[in-house]
Amino acid sequence: DYGHKNNMEVIWSYRMNNPEDVFAKEYFSQRKRTHPSYLMGTEGDWDGSRPGDPKVWWTAEDFAQPEVRDYIVKIFEDICQRYDVDGIELDFIRHPIFFRPNLEGLPATPAEVAMMTDMVQKIRVMTERVALERGRPILVVVRAPLSVASCLAIGLDIPAYLKEGLMDILIAGQDYVQMGVASE
C-alpha cells in the first residue's frame, strides 16, 4: 500500500533456491522436513567438501522433480492472488544450483533446461490470468547470470524466454564460473 500511495511499483522477489539452511538444520522449512527427497542430497553425502565446492549445498531443492517446480509455481500464484504486487522477480542468481549436475560443476542437460523453461512458462501463464482477473498487468522479472552460456549451465534458456515473451524485465548480473562455464 505504501508503495502504491507513493507512486512506486512493488515487485515481490523470490530466491529460486535457497540452501543456506545447510549451516543450521533447525532452520529447515517444514517442507524440507516433510519431503527430504526433494533435496539434492543428505547431510552426510558431502561431508568434507572444500569451501566453495557446490556440493556443500546439499539442501538445495532438485528442480528435476516435478513436485518442486509445481510448488514454486504455486508460491508465485499465491503471491499474485493475495497481494497487490505490480510484478514478481524470479531470482536465479542467489544460489544458482537447480539440478544435480550443477553440484558436480557440470551444466544442466537439455532436458533439464526444458523443465525450467516449462516452469517459467507456467508462471507467465498464471501471471497473465491473474492480471486479467484484476484488470492490470503483473510484470515478470528474471534475475539471471550475465552470459547466455552461464544461464544454460544452470538450466535457464534466456533467449527462449525473450522469444516467447516469458519475462518483461531481465536483470543480468553476476556470473558464476563455479559451473565450469566461462563468461562470454
Side-chain angles (χ1 to χ4, degrees), residues 42-58 103:
T42 62
E43 187 171 12
D45 285 348
W46 295 294
D47 285 346
S49 294
R50 68 188 191 294
D53 188 336
K55 292 178 186 177
V56 74
W57 302 115
W58 63 270
L103 287 175

Side-chain angles (χ1 to χ4, degrees), residues 60-103:
E61 291 197 56
D62 181 4
F63 277 59
Q65 298 187 48
E67 298 86 359
V68 170
R69 297 187 313 276
D70 291 345
Y71 181 74
I72 298 295
V73 173
K74 287 177 186 173
I75 288 172
F76 280 102
E77 184 170 23
D78 181 57
I79 292 298
C80 290
Q81 290 178 337
R82 289 198 305 147
Y83 299 98
D84 189 23
V85 295
D86 298 297
I88 55 171
E89 179 191 44
L90 290 67
D91 181 353
F92 289 105
I93 285 188
R94 178 63 181 178
H95 288 287
I97 296 172
F98 303 102
F99 300 102
R100 290 185 187 272
N102 298 150
L103 287 175

Side-chain angles (χ1 to χ4, degrees), residues 148-166:
V148 171
S150 290
C151 287
L152 283 170
I154 64 170
L156 308 179
D157 189 350
I158 296 298
Y161 299 177
L162 292 167
K163 183 178 180 182
E164 296 180 36
L166 301 182

Side-chain angles (χ1 to χ4, degrees), residues 7-140:
N7 297 316
M8 292 186 284
E9 290 183 322
V10 177
I11 310 278
W12 180 77
S13 182
Y14 184 74
R15 292 178 180 171
M16 297 301 286
N17 218 346
N18 194 359
E20 290 179 0
D21 51 11
V22 71
F23 300 114
K25 283 191 351 184
E26 63 268 19
Y27 296 121
F28 263 34
S29 66
Q30 183 62 38
R31 176 178 160 75
K32 286 186 177 184
R33 292 173 207 258
T34 306
H35 301 286
S37 63
Y38 294 168
L39 306 181
M40 295 279 192
T42 62
E43 187 171 12
D45 285 348
W46 295 294
D47 285 346
S49 294
R50 68 188 191 294
D53 188 336
K55 292 178 186 177
V56 74
W57 302 115
W58 63 270
T59 64
E61 291 197 56
D62 181 4
F63 277 59
Q65 298 187 48
E67 298 86 359
V68 170
R69 297 187 313 276
D70 291 345
Y71 181 74
I72 298 295
V73 173
K74 287 177 186 173
I75 288 172
F76 280 102
E77 184 170 23
D78 181 57
I79 292 298
C80 290
Q81 290 178 337
R82 289 198 305 147
Y83 299 98
D84 189 23
V85 295
D86 298 297
I88 55 171
E89 179 191 44
L90 290 67
D91 181 353
F92 289 105
I93 285 188
R94 178 63 181 178
H95 288 287
I97 296 172
F98 303 102
F99 300 102
R100 290 185 187 272
N102 298 150
L103 287 175
E104 301 296 329
L106 299 171
T109 67
E112 291 164 337
V113 172
M115 290 175 202
M116 194 66 85
T117 300
D118 178 69
M119 182 189 72
V120 175
Q121 289 167 335
K122 288 176 180 174
I123 290 170
R124 180 53 156 201
V125 166
M126 176 278 300
T127 59
E128 297 206 346
R129 178 180 44 77
V130 173
L132 283 173
E133 292 168 3
R134 73 179 196 173
R136 61 187 189 83
I138 298 173
L139 299 172
V140 175

